[in-house]
Amino acid sequence: MKDLATTTSSAAPTALTSVILEVADVETARHFYRAFGVDAYITLRASEAASAGFRGFTLALTVSGPATVDGFVVAAVDAGATVLKPATKSLWGYGGVVRAPDGAIWKIATSAKKDTGPATRDIDEVVLLLGVEDVKATKQFYAGQGLTVAKSFGGKYAEFATGDGCPVKLALYKHRALAKDLGVPADGTGSHRIVIGSTGGTFTDPDGFVWEAAQS
């Protein structure tokens, strides 16, 4: 049987167009994300949907070096974020994890272990990483919806091609592995508190993440 991720689809290509975070207080959240320096990458929407524990996703920033990681972490904390993992060196580089006041988790990281220049406020890449129960099955589901798989590592990780005009890349990771990487318990209930805008139609994936067609 062919892997759906590598099978050419006759459907029009689908791509992520926006990341909509659902928050209790839009103005408070807007102030935080401006101070953090990531407001250009997200849209905010008011919601009182019940949500508890791990929401099943993170937004990951890739930056140039450790000093820039530290700058983003400090900016987030000064604006009201909670540190889940202090920025530190690891085998793959340097990074830390914070939770925004609205509950969304952000990871800031670099592959560089030493700075080669001064700290900046530049972001090289933003990835929306969804924690899913079955990476292969969800990858196939998204391929069936018209998304293009860019990278795939068995049942551990999958990444999709970025659409024109969207600065955020979509990727899949095992739910429990993602929670462990972020330093939080894997359990969670209620709404994910995130909606993904797309060039395709409205649908819900196997893990309950909601996609909606972008407004024309």
Side-chain angles (χ1 to χ4, degrees), residues 44-81:
L44 300 173
R45 176 186 294 174
S47 175
E48 296 292 344
S51 181
F54 182 39
R55 294 182 186 174
F57 73 92
T58 190
L59 283 150
L61 312 181
T62 301
V63 299
S64 61
T68 298
V69 170
D70 291 339
F72 274 98
V73 170
V74 169
V77 171
D78 286 348

Side-chain angles (χ1 to χ4, degrees), residues 102-151:
D102 63 273
I105 297 176
W106 292 76
K107 181 175 182 177
I108 309 100
T110 177
S111 59
K113 295 185 180 181
K114 294 183 179 180
D115 288 305
T116 57
T120 73
R121 295 290 286 167
D122 296 333
I123 297 171
D124 296 332
E125 184 178 66
V126 179
V127 179
L128 170 59
L129 198 55
L130 303 182
V132 302
E133 291 301 321
D134 188 327
V135 171
K136 285 185 177 180
T138 303
K139 177 184 67 176
Q140 291 177 346
F141 172 83
Y142 280 139
Q145 293 294 330
L147 278 81
T148 302
V149 178
K151 296 179 183 178

Side-chain angles (χ1 to χ4, degrees), residues 3-43:
D3 186 337
L4 292 179
T6 59
T7 301
T8 301
S9 172
S10 60
T14 299
L16 183 153
T17 59
S18 62
V19 174
I20 305 163
L21 295 181
E22 297 186 330
V23 300
D25 187 325
V26 171
E27 286 306 313
T28 297
R30 183 173 291 119
H31 174 78
F32 168 80
Y33 286 115
R34 284 176 178 167
F36 186 19
V38 299
D39 54 307
Y41 297 91
I42 57 168
T43 300

Side-chain angles (χ1 to χ4, degrees), residues 158-172:
E159 189 176 285
F160 298 89
T162 303
D164 293 339
C166 184
V168 181
K169 183 179 294 184
L170 175 69
L172 308 176

